[in-house]
């Protein structure tokens, strides 16, 4: 059962203070966007609060979880940064009792994105990029877009993410490419 008072200290204990502040920022921003775009505000809050629950989980443990829960095994060939979303969606269900598939998908795909994202998935993806503690060139432009047009914000958000990965000479997980193609067609 959803009791915030119990969740906050648990979430806080799993991450750095900076990440906890980010987490609260994502939850607040996701609620704001949910109000604008007619999404369930409480679902947005739950997804925001839990999206980075596995950000600092042990890498070997996450690799085991990916195998044990039959998550996409090719994740293991990509940067471990991509693992905390899918594993977080399992932890949300098993430790926090979140059964709602849309909330779990929003946690699962918040880093990679994917084709055919739901409104809640888009809200969390974008909120993660624009919450008040985020600071990078163009964040203001994305914040502005996010409050006017969620589709357009996704379009620019995913392009920004892909450009960043390519600039850093990192590989691109296929779901991110599918997300990009879905946003730009
Ligand atoms: Fe994350
Ligand atoms: Fe995040």
């Amino acid at each position: 059962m959803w009791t915030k008072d119990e969740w906050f200290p648990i979430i806080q204990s799993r991450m750095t203070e900076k990440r906890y502040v980010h987490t609260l920022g994502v939850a607040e921003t996701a609620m704001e966007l949910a109000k604008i775009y007619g999404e369930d505000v409480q679902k947005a809050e739950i997804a925001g609060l839990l999206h980075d629950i596995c950000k600092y989980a042990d890498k070997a443990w996450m690799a085991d979880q990916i195998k044990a829960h039959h998550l996409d095994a090719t994740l293991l060939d990509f940067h471990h940064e991509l693992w905390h979303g899918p594993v977080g969606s399992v932890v949300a269900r098993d430790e926090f009792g979140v059964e709602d598939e849309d909330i779990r998908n929003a946690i699962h795909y918040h880093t990679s994105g994917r084709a055919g994202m739901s409104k809640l998935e888009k809200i969390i993806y974008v909120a993660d990029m624009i919450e008040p503690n985020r600071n990078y060139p163009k964040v203001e432009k994305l914040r502005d877009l996010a409050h006017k047009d969620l589709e357009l914000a996704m379009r620019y958000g995913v392009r920004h993410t892909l450009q960043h990965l390519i600039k850093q000479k990192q590989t691109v997980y296929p779901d991110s490419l599918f997300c990009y193609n879905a946003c730009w067609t």
Side-chain angles (χ1 to χ4, degrees):
M1 188 61 194
W2 160 241
T3 48
K4 268 200 272 187
D5 289 350
E6 287 170 20
W7 279 19
F8 284 136
I10 301 171
I11 294 168
Q12 192 170 16
S13 72
R14 303 276 180 100
M15 52 189 70
T16 62
E17 191 55 30
K18 193 176 171 213
R19 182 62 47 178
Y20 183 59
V21 171
H22 160 75
T23 290
L24 299 181
V26 172
E28 279 301 320
T29 305
M31 290 167 79
E32 213 177 288
L33 296 179
K35 276 178 209 150
I36 296 174
Y37 297 109
E39 183 50 270
D40 186 307
V41 175
Q42 196 181 36
K43 280 191 185 190
E45 183 177 25
I46 295 171
L49 286 175
L50 293 179
H51 83 285
D52 272 345
I53 192 67
C54 287
K55 184 79 179 177
Y56 300 100
D58 180 74
K59 285 191 204 89
W61 178 80
M62 284 198 285
D64 287 345
Q65 296 300 304
I66 287 169
K67 290 174 205 155
H69 293 279
H70 308 290
L71 299 169
D72 177 16
T74 72
L75 278 166
L76 300 171
D77 301 327
F78 288 87
H79 199 283
H80 58 78
E81 172 62 25
L82 282 159
W83 304 353
H84 74 284
V87 177
S89 75
V90 171
V91 167
R93 182 192 61 207
D94 295 352
E95 286 190 45
F96 292 83
V98 176
E99 298 284 347
D100 186 285
E101 283 302 313
D102 202 17
I103 297 176
R104 294 190 54 231
N105 284 334
I107 297 168
H108 188 131
Y109 296 102
H110 83 269
T111 315
S112 63
R114 64 166 172 168
M117 290 168 86
S118 71
K119 196 194 286 180
L120 185 65
E121 289 174 52
K122 289 173 186 168
I123 284 173
I124 296 300
Y125 186 95
V126 170
D128 194 25
M129 294 186 78
I130 63 159
E131 61 91 10
N133 306 287
R134 289 287 200 204
N135 186 14
Y136 52 88
K138 303 254 176 80
V139 71
E140 278 308 329
K141 156 108 179 145
L142 192 57
R143 268 188 198 122
D144 187 49
L145 274 179
H147 289 84
K148 289 180 181 151
D149 187 331
L150 187 60
E151 302 304 321
L152 218 51
M154 270 306 296
R155 195 176 245 219
Y156 283 89
V158 70
R159 187 176 74 163
H160 178 274
T161 304
L162 254 63
Q163 280 174 334
H164 179 75
L165 286 172
I166 291 165
K167 228 185 212 165
Q168 301 287 313
K169 299 189 173 67
Q170 288 197 35
T171 52
V172 179
Y173 182 60
D175 270 342
S176 302
L177 288 172
F178 296 143
C179 180
Y180 175 84
N181 289 338
C183 288
W184 285 85
T185 48

